[in-house]
Amino acid sequence: MKEFELAIIHSGFAAGPVFDADLTRVKTDPSADQNESYNPEHEMTLYNRAVDSLDRELASAAEKADRNSRDIYETERLLLKDNAFSETVRELITEKNMNVNTAVEHAGNVLAQKLAGNENAYIRQRSSDITGVTERLLEILRGEGTNTLKVPSIIVSEELNPARLSAIAPSLILGLVTEKGSMTSHVSILAGNMGIPYLYGSREALEAVRASEKAIIDDKKLITDPDEKTYGEALRRMWEENERKQSQKRRQKEDSAGIDEKIHTKVYANIAGTQDIPKLIASGVRGVGLFRSEFLFLDHNGAPSEEEQFEAYKAVAEAMNGKETVIRTMDLGSDKKTNWLPMPAEKNPALGCRGLRLSLKEQDLFRTQLRALLRAAVFGNIKIMLPMVTSVREVEIVRSILENCAEELSNEGIAYKIPSLGIMIETPAAAMIADELAKAADFFSIGTNDLTQYTLALDREAQGLEAFYDPYHEAIFRLIKITADAGHKNNIPISVCGELAGQPNAVKRLIECGVDKLSVSLSKVDETRLQVVKAEAELENRRVEKDAEQSPSIAAPADGRLIPMEDIPDPVFSAGTLGECVGIMPDSGIIYAPCDGIVSGVAQTGHAITFTASDGREILVHVGINTVTLAGRGFKVLVQEGSTVSKGEIVMEVDLAVITEAGLSPMVITALLS
Ligand code: PEP
Ligand code: MG
């Protein structure tokens, strides 16, 4: 049993078997070569069988795919049968006596390197196709699928990316341990959405956990090879923690029930695909603020077809039953790469071909997605959102592509609807020209994860620089405020869909900046609703206090003893029908103006005067209970309607004896009418 202390991406507790995700990656055993039973013919037969099997797989995928994906599959088929590749494998097997796995891996590396160095960009891009084909061939040779995980486990790997993580069923992931990682990467966001504990940062720990059958994650502690007693206790604790979490969730759900009607700021959910639909429905959330559609593209051997995408978008829109469903167009590139989409090697991928830039470059792929979205929009309240926008021109180009796709669908007689088109504000450039963008887009959603990365010039995947990645940096809030002000000036709504939206400490500040919606991961919906209630109540209290500070105080209109509102012996006043009141049992008959202002009314019977204070409030001074019956007897009003008065100025003289002799109460009541 060994213990390590690692850096935390998501804290939590987990215990279970260890699954080495890197084992499903290419790995061969050179020592198997050249042994006595080595038979080159047998190795060649295995190779030919694997090629045939992959060829059939690709042909069947091509058959089901749309035009774009079909081309990709066909290219892979050509590469698979490429003479240079098969020839190299044959030579390595027959002349170098390599086993088939080593030979395929070797041939793949040689060819991929050769293509990567070619002057022609198209040929260079084939390099990653070769790598993909090689990896799949090796999986077939080892008799493995892409995912061999069968029981819930702690997943360990040198480094995970979203494509690899989303290939594993969430119910099978108890925890994650990697050597490399970062708090704000997409893998970390995915793990956070699933509520999975995640540790990283040590090669030594990675190697120990890999060699261990079982492991325990306890906050920042990783225990490898636990003894039976420790492991048994850990399993029990995990069960208890799950129970506790479930009941906490249930409590939050109960507390947040019906809250949506009471709050102004809407709480929406972020989702990654149709697998989130059951949780989405259960959350009763008011809308989907971010559907990260690129995950449909990552968890795939090729681009998802128009039909596949249409079905996915339609399913979510229908599940939302008319509620707003914001689907972001594929935000591929940077850390969200796929094997099947060749991308040039970039020095700074986060500053390179990603998001909308990539969509505009790969327009066939983009058009397929837009067509699917236009078709799905018929079935619900879908809105399209563009990632990584930096200029008005980009939005205009997308609008024209969208219209063109619509025209195409119309010519084909396919039903469609053109949805609203919004944009993400993820770059300082977009925030700074939000005024112009607000005229080109129908809504804004602020992606604080990337906005932080680009504003602070700090890669969100940077290792060991977490202390500098500060989403609470004043610059971020100022950019949010600029965006919100520009949006409201142009009557478009503003949401925040980055991780900051679900941070309890940020909610109030975001609402203060003018944000209308917070879109958070499904696991944070209830908690965020409760945070919004609290924040809105605090802001309202602060507003009332500020108003009170700014409003001049109201002076007592008579000297005497104060009587609380509920003790005033006239229900019209004590029940608050006329507004907030207070009574004074007067010592004398002198009545003063309660404020600076103007006399707005004098009762004919002289027993009551209303004033409009300089801040606009209406104040009634009513002398005596039921004194209207005296028909003016005992009252001498010194002002008239329209008179300007100063606070404390004598406005009436009353003969108290007349009132008391008539058996009435002389109580002077001040009521704040508005
Ligand atoms: C963001 O950048 O804040 C965002 C929501 O997009 P993603 O995290 O998917 O890049
Ligand atoms: Mg982003």
Side-chain angles (χ1 to χ4, degrees):
M1 184 156 103
K2 265 192 184 167
E3 249 185 59
F4 298 88
E5 229 180 75
L6 277 83
I8 301 178
I9 287 183
H10 298 298
S11 70
F13 188 86
V18 170
F19 178 79
D20 185 351
D22 296 343
L23 278 184
T24 57
R25 290 168 124 188
V26 178
K27 220 179 243 179
T28 54
D29 177 14
S31 66
D33 299 343
Q34 301 173 18
N35 59 24
E36 270 143 36
S37 62
Y38 180 75
N39 176 351
E41 265 173 42
H42 177 63
E43 299 298 307
M44 274 312 289
T45 311
L46 290 178
Y47 172 67
N48 289 331
R49 266 198 224 145
V51 168
D52 283 347
S53 160
L54 182 52
D55 189 46
R56 277 197 302 277
E57 204 178 82
L58 291 171
S60 115
E63 217 168 78
K64 290 185 218 130
D66 70 356
R67 203 182 28 176
N68 298 323
S69 322
R70 196 175 313 131
D71 289 348
I72 293 166
Y73 291 128
E74 291 302 346
T75 311
E76 291 195 342
R77 289 184 75 196
L78 288 178
L79 285 172
L80 183 65
K81 292 186 193 144
D82 181 82
N83 270 346
F85 186 76
S86 326
E87 226 2 73
T88 315
V89 173
R90 198 192 56 74
E91 273 175 24
L92 293 171
I93 289 177
T94 54
E95 290 170 33
K96 299 263 181 339
N97 288 1
M98 278 188 188
N99 76 24
V100 60
N101 293 29
T102 318
V104 165
E105 183 182 12
H106 202 78
N109 284 344
V110 170
L111 206 61
Q113 268 172 25
K114 215 156 111 193
L115 294 182
N118 197 289
E119 272 172 28
N120 181 314
Y122 177 79
I123 295 181
R124 267 202 315 275
Q125 285 166 7
R126 300 282 74 79
S127 166
S128 62
D129 292 344
I130 279 285
T131 309
V133 165
T134 309
E135 290 201 359
R136 187 67 196 121
L137 265 181
L138 285 163
E139 278 170 351
I140 292 171
L141 284 165
R142 287 196 307 261
E144 287 172 352
T146 42
N147 181 10
T148 54
L149 183 58
K150 296 281 177 286
V151 290
S153 303
I154 292 178
I155 314 295
V156 307
S157 169
E158 203 169 296
E159 185 175 20
L160 282 168
N161 62 33
R164 293 181 67 210
L165 187 65
S166 48
I168 307 174
S171 58
L172 296 180
I173 311 174
L174 295 175
L176 296 171
V177 180
T178 59
E179 181 191 347
K180 298 176 199 150
S182 93
M183 313 270 289
T184 47
S185 69
H186 284 96
V187 171
S188 138
I189 291 173
L190 280 177
N193 287 353
M194 300 185 236
I196 295 170
Y198 185 175
L199 297 181
Y200 78 111
S202 156
R203 178 84 209 167
E204 197 195 342
L206 177 73
E207 272 164 14
V209 72
R210 263 184 179 156
S212 165
E213 235 175 73
K214 298 164 195 146
I216 299 168
I217 295 175
D218 182 1
D219 199 39
K220 59 183 164 201
K221 223 166 36 181
L222 172 73
I223 302 172
T224 60
D225 276 323
D227 57 45
E228 243 171 67
K229 184 167 169 275
T230 313
Y231 189 63
E233 279 167 5
L235 287 179
R236 223 178 359 265
R237 180 169 156 200
M238 189 169 66
W239 186 81
E240 281 165 12
E241 298 247 328
N242 274 344
E243 286 290 293
R244 195 183 48 75
K245 261 197 227 154
Q246 294 302 332
S247 77
Q248 186 188 10
K249 281 236 167 85
R250 272 196 299 276
R251 227 174 312 120
Q252 274 182 348
K253 184 140 226 69
E254 280 161 22
D255 290 351
S256 76
I259 271 183
D260 278 345
E261 280 68 51
K262 295 182 206 137
I263 52 181
H264 301 290
T265 313
K266 293 178 179 152
V267 178
Y268 279 23
N270 294 346
I271 61 165
T274 47
Q275 70 277 12
D276 292 328
I277 289 179
K279 273 195 193 164
L280 189 60
I281 295 174
S283 74
V285 82
R286 281 168 123 171
V288 168
L290 169 65
F291 176 167
R292 288 183 162 100
S293 75
E294 60 275 8
F295 288 108
L296 297 179
F297 294 71
L298 295 180
D299 185 13
H300 247 263
N301 290 326
S305 65
E306 180 181 315
E307 214 49 39
E308 277 172 293
Q309 291 189 56
F310 164 69
E311 289 298 340
Y313 305 147
K314 175 173 170 251
V316 174
E318 284 183 338
M320 289 310 287
N321 200 13
K323 292 186 210 163
E324 204 178 350
T325 308
V326 178
I327 303 181
R328 175 171 79 181
T329 58
M330 52 183 187
D331 185 20
L332 291 169
S334 195
D335 66 328
K336 288 181 281 192
K337 284 202 174 72
T338 67
N339 278 342
W340 54 264
L341 183 64
M343 302 224 197
E346 294 174 303
K347 257 198 180 161
N348 284 311
L351 303 181
C353 190
R354 63 162 299 198
L356 185 59
R357 291 172 197 166
L358 185 131
S359 295
L360 293 177
K361 198 156 164 271
E362 301 284 341
Q363 280 206 18
D364 282 351
L365 266 183
F366 191 39
R367 290 176 70 91
T368 304
Q369 176 166 45
L370 293 180
R371 280 174 58 103
L373 284 165
L374 286 166
R375 288 173 54 196
V378 174
F379 297 88
N381 185 5
I382 284 181
K383 302 196 166 165
I384 298 178
M385 180 159 78
L386 307 173
M388 283 293 293
V389 170
T390 53
S391 73
V392 172
R393 180 86 193 108
E394 289 161 349
V395 187
E396 288 167 353
I397 293 174
V398 175
R399 275 212 198 270
S400 80
I401 300 177
L402 203 56
E403 272 156 26
N404 190 269
C405 290
E407 203 180 312
E408 208 174 80
L409 287 168
S410 155
N411 291 339
E412 292 166 27
I414 299 174
Y416 70 90
K417 200 173 139 205
I418 300 187
S420 315
L421 181 67
I423 61 167
M424 293 202 65
I425 303 289
E426 299 182 278
T427 60
M432 296 311 291
I433 59 160
D435 226 344
E436 285 95 73
L437 283 168
K439 294 179 179 78
D442 300 321
F443 60 91
F444 285 161
S445 188
I446 304 173
T448 47
N449 306 335
D450 278 316
L451 188 60
T452 307
Q453 137 162 290
Y454 297 122
T455 304
L456 304 185
L458 183 71
D459 189 338
R460 61 197 266 187
E461 303 249 353
Q463 311 279 314
L465 292 174
E466 286 79 10
F468 295 93
Y469 184 93
D470 176 14
Y472 292 87
H473 195 292
E474 188 53 31
I476 309 297
F477 285 107
R478 288 193 198 170
L479 289 169
I480 293 173
K481 177 91 172 74
I482 289 172
T483 306
D485 288 349
H488 290 152
K489 209 167 90 193
N490 291 283
N491 291 321
I492 67 166
I494 321 296
S495 88
V496 172
C497 63
E499 293 303 287
L500 193 63
Q503 296 298 319
N505 295 338
V507 168
K508 192 160 90 186
R509 187 80 199 270
L510 292 173
I511 297 174
E512 270 182 297
C513 285
V515 168
D516 307 302
K517 270 176 224 160
L518 299 172
S519 193
V520 301
S521 70
L522 271 166
S523 58
K524 288 197 172 156
V525 167
D526 288 330
E527 189 192 337
T528 309
R529 280 176 174 142
L530 296 171
Q531 289 296 341
V532 170
V533 179
K534 198 167 136 224
E536 286 188 351
E538 279 173 21
L539 290 170
E540 177 60 14
N541 282 346
R542 201 196 292 166
R543 193 190 59 75
V544 169
E545 273 167 24
K546 208 162 144 206
D547 278 0
E549 266 167 34
Q550 281 168 356
S551 303
S553 61
I554 298 169
D559 299 320
R561 186 165 46 90
L562 216 56
I563 307 292
M565 178 165 147
E566 59 271 24
D567 295 343
I568 300 173
D570 183 340
V572 172
F573 297 113
S574 59
T577 319
L578 292 177
E580 252 184 283
C581 305
V582 70
I584 294 173
M585 197 51 87
D587 293 341
S588 76
I590 304 293
I591 305 296
Y592 310 101
C595 57
D596 291 337
I598 289 170
V599 174
S600 51
V602 177
Q604 267 183 359
T605 45
H607 69 291
I609 306 176
T610 50
F611 301 86
T612 304
S614 50
D615 63 356
R617 287 179 295 176
E618 281 289 301
I619 298 156
L620 166 74
V621 174
H622 187 283
V623 182
I625 309 281
N626 283 335
T627 42
V628 66
T629 53
L630 294 174
R633 246 182 338 114
F635 297 99
K636 186 175 167 202
V637 179
L638 306 175
V639 290
Q640 55 194 355
E641 196 173 324
S643 303
T644 304
V645 291
S646 306
K647 192 194 283 185
E649 182 182 327
I650 299 174
V651 290
M652 190 194 290
E653 285 167 5
V654 186
D655 188 344
L656 296 181
V658 174
I659 299 175
T660 46
E661 276 161 21
L664 300 172
S665 162
M667 188 184 290
V668 179
I669 298 144
T670 313
L672 186 56
L673 302 179
S674 67

